[in-house]
Amino acid sequence: MTIQEIQNEIVNEFSMFDDWMQRYEYIIDLGKALPLIEEKYKTEENIIKGCQSKVWVHGEEENGKIVFTADSDAILTKGIIAILIRAFSNQKPEAILEANTDFIDEIGLKEHLSPTRANGLVSMIKQLKMYALAYNAKK
């Protein structure tokens, strides 16, 4: 699936919920299902700067695509990074770099986060794109 197709799928899933409490619960459930990052990648250099809680992200190139793993010490934040990883993992670096993140606004996520969590969300997106930039430069 393309990034856009995955993002559309996420928007459709969120549209099924009537209120934000249900959406928060769904985000938390997504975080619980996130494949965990290996302990060896839970290092200072893999922590996303600008997040209120600790979020670790690691990306590896596999067959020309970047596969991301992540974890967080906060359940809501773990769900947020799970959404981003679902959208961007297992995609080509150039597709990640070109992808927009309008789906976040479409599901209303940013406006329902505290300012510090919203800043963390932006930092997470930036870090995923930095991985894509680094792998794209290696080509």
Side-chain angles (χ1 to χ4, degrees):
M1 287 180 90
T2 67
I3 292 174
Q4 189 62 56
E5 289 168 339
I6 295 166
Q7 290 177 351
N8 291 342
E9 200 175 78
I10 293 168
V11 169
N12 288 337
E13 288 167 14
F14 272 81
S15 70
M16 293 187 296
F17 301 108
D18 296 328
D19 64 48
W20 263 93
M21 284 316 294
Q22 293 174 319
R23 289 179 183 189
Y24 285 133
E25 287 174 25
Y26 183 60
I27 292 169
I28 290 167
D29 287 343
L30 291 173
K32 289 177 183 172
L34 178 70
L36 288 187
I37 191 171
E38 289 182 47
E39 283 298 317
K40 68 181 179 181
Y41 297 124
K42 281 189 168 184
T43 62
E44 194 62 37
E45 68 184 28
N46 287 334
I47 286 183
I48 295 181
K49 311 293 184 264
C51 282
Q52 183 178 345
S53 43
K54 286 188 177 176
V55 181
W56 298 271
V57 173
H58 176 71
E60 279 183 17
E61 189 267 331
E62 288 182 19
N63 302 319
K65 296 179 178 181
I66 302 176
V67 176
F68 292 106
T69 55
D71 195 8
S72 175
D73 61 355
I75 56 171
L76 186 63
T77 308
K78 190 171 179 174
I80 294 168
I81 193 65
I83 292 168
L84 295 175
I85 283 185
R86 180 172 159 197
F88 296 114
S89 189
N90 213 14
Q91 300 289 336
K92 293 185 177 193
E94 38 304 342
I96 296 169
L97 291 169
E98 292 168 6
N100 68 49
T101 54
D102 294 346
F103 79 107
I104 291 167
D105 294 326
E106 286 182 52
I107 63 176
L109 183 58
K110 204 181 286 182
E111 68 191 64
H112 285 88
L113 295 176
S114 67
T116 51
R117 281 227 165 87
N119 287 341
L121 172 63
V122 171
S123 296
M124 290 180 214
I125 293 166
K126 207 178 281 183
Q127 187 62 41
L128 296 178
K129 293 218 176 217
M130 289 304 289
Y131 268 107
L133 195 60
Y135 282 109
N136 204 37
K138 287 182 182 178
K139 288 178 154 185

XYZ file of all heavy atoms in Angstrom, residues 10 107 110:
25
model
N -6.451 5.140 7.835
C -6.427 5.656 9.209
C -7.544 6.685 9.406
O -8.262 6.647 10.409
C -5.038 6.258 9.554
C -3.982 5.143 9.587
C -5.085 7.013 10.884
C -2.537 5.629 9.630
N -7.881 13.744 11.009
C -8.442 12.999 12.144
C -8.563 13.890 13.383
O -9.126 13.472 14.385
C -7.650 11.696 12.457
C -6.207 11.984 12.872
C -7.704 10.749 11.277
C -5.419 10.734 13.289
N -3.921 16.704 16.133
C -3.105 17.804 16.662
C -3.913 18.742 17.555
O -3.448 19.182 18.595
C -2.451 18.574 15.513
C -1.189 19.315 15.933
C -0.566 20.092 14.797
C 0.131 19.183 13.817
N 0.792 19.919 12.728
